[in-house]
Amino acid sequence: MLEINIWEIGVHILNVIILFIVLRLLLYKPILKFIKKRENIFADKADDLDDMEKGLVQQKQEYQQMMSEANNEAASIITKSNEMARDHAREILDNAKEHARDLVVRAKKEIEGEKVQARMDMKSDIAEMAIQIAEKVLEREVSIDDNRKIIDEFFERVG
Amino acid sequence: MGFAGGLPHPLLYADMLKSIGHWGANVEQALGVASINHVLYMWLAMGILFSLGLIVRGRLQLVPGGLQNLFETIIGGLEDFTVSNLGQEGRQFMPLLCTIFMFILTMNYIGLIPGCDAPTANINTPAAMAIIVFLFYQGVGMKKWGFGYIKHFMGPVSFLAPLMLILEPISHIARPLSLTLRLFGNIRGEEIVLILMFFLAPLIGSLPMYFLFVLAKTIQAFIFFMLTMLYLQGSIEHAH
């Protein structure tokens, strides 16, 4: 149809205007509003995610710091424990040495005592033996005074 | 009744309706139009858009489904395209531009439905749309620049202004004419080819044409939309 009809054009213009108004209210506004709303929701979620990411990074740093502090503390405890153990070992060793020294001294003293005792016993035995010998030689009983005299003379000779 | 370049259309639902009820002639008389066919198909296009709009509006979801996705892509994409070309000022024109695109697209596609005639294959439909575009962008320019809008008709060089004042109005008047004839010619041509192919080889001949014309009809709708946007851009930008 090539004939121009003003009335038809008028009807079409009216149709287009009606369509424009209805679609504007029915379609464009709700859809654009919805798209905007969705963008806002996504923007909010993106912000939340950013905040969460920042929080996680901060938490990670805190944990790393805590781990570093714990490592340092553990190292310090180990060093301190090693030192304490070394001191304790040294103390035990010193005590053992001292105890050994005491034992040696005590043993020496005991040996000395035993020596003195043995000398005294020997002295007594020798004296007794000397008296018996003297009694055999003299064929008489030796008195205590004689006995003492003989012993003393013997020891003077013996040294 | 002759449609596609005088060729008889094999089947038109609008004619069937008229022959059944004899109401078409009364409506034609009441509206003062020569043929009600393309008006009916135009109303059909409007009805389709209203129905789809209602369905989409009623089922808006945060994660869009098929139809919502399609409309969001078209509306959101056209808005972004308009804003990228016209700036933020262009956002206000998006509803009209989007209406023009979707309406022309739907009317063009109606021509592909067997038994339907594309309303845009009637010269009065593209003419009506071109007149709307012409009046709208001139109105926008006048509203924005007031009397200064006349500078848009004076050309870039001042000494050529008297000559441009004659040429520019002719160029502006030619715009709705070119918009009308381009859309009408293309769609009418496609209708003729489709009917010819249908007569020659009903299925083998016309089916491949459908795929080609889906693309061609989309391109025509987009060209009309693009030119409208460019005319609007010319009216809102500074005159040299």
Side-chain angles (χ1 to χ4, degrees):
Chain A
M1 289 247 176
L2 268 170
E3 57 185 80
I4 299 276
N5 186 317
I6 298 297
W7 284 109
E8 280 189 34
I9 291 173
V11 170
H12 291 318
I13 288 174
L14 192 68
N15 282 341
V16 174
I17 291 169
I18 291 167
L19 184 77
F20 167 71
I21 293 166
V22 174
L23 283 186
R24 189 185 161 96
L25 294 171
L26 196 74
L27 201 63
Y28 307 139
K29 275 191 178 178
I31 282 194
L32 290 174
K33 202 175 160 185
F34 197 78
I35 291 173
K36 191 80 186 165
K37 186 181 159 190
R38 188 192 291 138
E39 282 173 0
N40 288 338
I41 289 171
F42 286 154
D44 288 347
K45 282 195 176 168
D47 288 346
D48 289 349
L49 282 174
D50 281 348
D51 290 346
M52 209 183 282
E53 199 181 340
K54 279 178 194 167
L56 284 172
V57 168
Q58 199 178 340
Q59 237 171 0
K60 192 182 168 189
Q61 283 174 348
E62 281 173 12
Y63 285 145
Q64 278 175 341
Q65 199 176 345
M66 277 167 71
M67 283 295 288
S68 165
E69 281 173 8
N71 283 336
N72 289 341
E73 203 172 335
S76 154
I77 287 168
I78 289 167
T79 311
K80 219 177 278 179
S81 300
N82 282 340
E83 279 174 11
M84 276 171 71
R86 218 172 292 135
D87 289 349
H88 194 59
R90 201 178 298 130
E91 196 181 318
I92 288 169
L93 202 65
D94 289 348
N95 285 342
K97 275 181 183 171
E98 200 175 343
H99 187 63
R101 222 170 4 247
D102 287 350
L103 283 175
V104 169
V105 169
R106 208 181 301 153
K108 274 183 182 171
K109 272 182 186 171
E110 277 177 11
I111 289 165
E112 198 65 34
E114 291 283 328
K115 207 169 134 184
V116 170
Q117 186 65 38
R119 192 176 285 171
M120 282 176 73
D121 289 348
M122 208 169 70
K123 202 174 176 180
S124 171
D125 289 345
I126 290 167
E128 206 172 315
M129 218 163 70
I131 290 167
Q132 284 174 358
I133 293 166
E135 277 177 351
K136 291 274 181 192
V137 172
L138 293 173
E139 291 181 343
R140 66 169 179 101
E141 258 188 58
V142 180
S143 67
I144 295 170
D145 291 336
D146 293 337
N147 196 13
R148 189 170 291 143
K149 196 178 168 186
I150 291 164
I151 290 166
D152 288 342
E153 279 174 6
F154 175 77
F155 278 115
E156 274 173 18
R157 266 184 293 181
V158 174
Chain B
M1 186 168 286
F3 273 93
L7 290 167
H9 204 290
L11 167 76
L12 278 180
Y13 294 128
D15 283 339
M16 282 167 65
L17 280 172
K18 277 196 290 183
S19 63
I20 293 165
H22 298 289
W23 58 274
N26 296 332
V27 178
E28 282 169 1
Q29 206 174 359
L31 290 174
V33 297
S35 167
I36 191 76
N37 280 354
H38 58 280
V39 180
L40 282 176
Y41 291 122
M42 193 181 206
W43 287 343
L44 176 66
M46 287 169 75
I48 290 169
L49 287 173
F50 290 160
S51 308
L52 291 176
L54 273 171
I55 292 168
V56 171
R57 193 193 174 171
R59 293 181 188 171
L60 284 176
Q61 287 172 333
L62 208 59
V63 181
L67 201 60
Q68 185 187 340
N69 216 350
L70 176 74
F71 273 90
E72 274 191 21
T73 308
I74 292 173
I75 294 169
L78 289 182
E79 189 187 40
D80 290 344
F81 189 71
T82 309
V83 171
S84 68
N85 281 285
L86 302 182
Q88 284 301 322
E89 204 179 350
R91 203 180 288 277
Q92 59 184 316
F93 307 127
M94 197 284 294
L96 180 77
L97 291 168
C98 206
T99 304
I100 285 170
F101 175 76
M102 289 206 297
F103 195 33
I104 292 174
L105 190 71
T106 313
M107 288 192 291
N108 288 351
Y109 281 166
I110 278 179
L112 292 174
I113 302 168
C116 292
D117 197 22
T120 36
N122 183 297
I123 197 162
N124 293 305
T125 312
M129 307 208 61
I131 288 168
I132 290 172
V133 169
F134 177 77
L135 293 175
F136 185 74
Y137 84 78
Q138 296 292 359
V140 167
M142 282 177 201
K143 190 183 168 193
K144 180 162 186 186
W145 303 108
F147 188 71
Y149 184 57
I150 200 166
K151 286 180 189 169
H152 285 75
F153 297 85
M154 288 180 167
V157 189
S158 54
F159 72 88
L160 283 174
L163 182 66
M164 295 306 283
L165 264 172
I166 300 164
L167 289 176
E168 277 293 330
I170 295 169
S171 144
H172 277 256
I173 288 164
R175 285 175 180 182
L177 198 68
S178 77
L179 279 176
T180 305
L181 292 176
R182 184 184 300 105
L183 184 61
F184 164 72
N186 275 286
I187 304 302
R188 172 54 70 93
E190 286 165 15
E191 293 274 305
I192 293 168
V193 171
L194 209 57
I195 291 166
L196 278 173
M197 296 307 284
F198 182 77
F199 280 136
L200 287 170
L203 205 66
I204 302 168
S206 53
L207 204 60
M209 288 293 124
Y210 268 85
F211 294 107
L212 179 66
F213 290 159
V214 166
L215 179 69
K217 283 167 189 285
T218 311
I219 289 170
Q220 284 308 315
F222 190 69
I223 287 171
F224 203 101
F225 158 82
M226 272 288 292
L227 287 170
T228 307
M229 195 181 68
L230 290 174
Y231 297 155
L232 273 167
Q233 192 179 21
S235 71
I236 60 174
E237 72 182 5
H238 261 289
H240 296 289

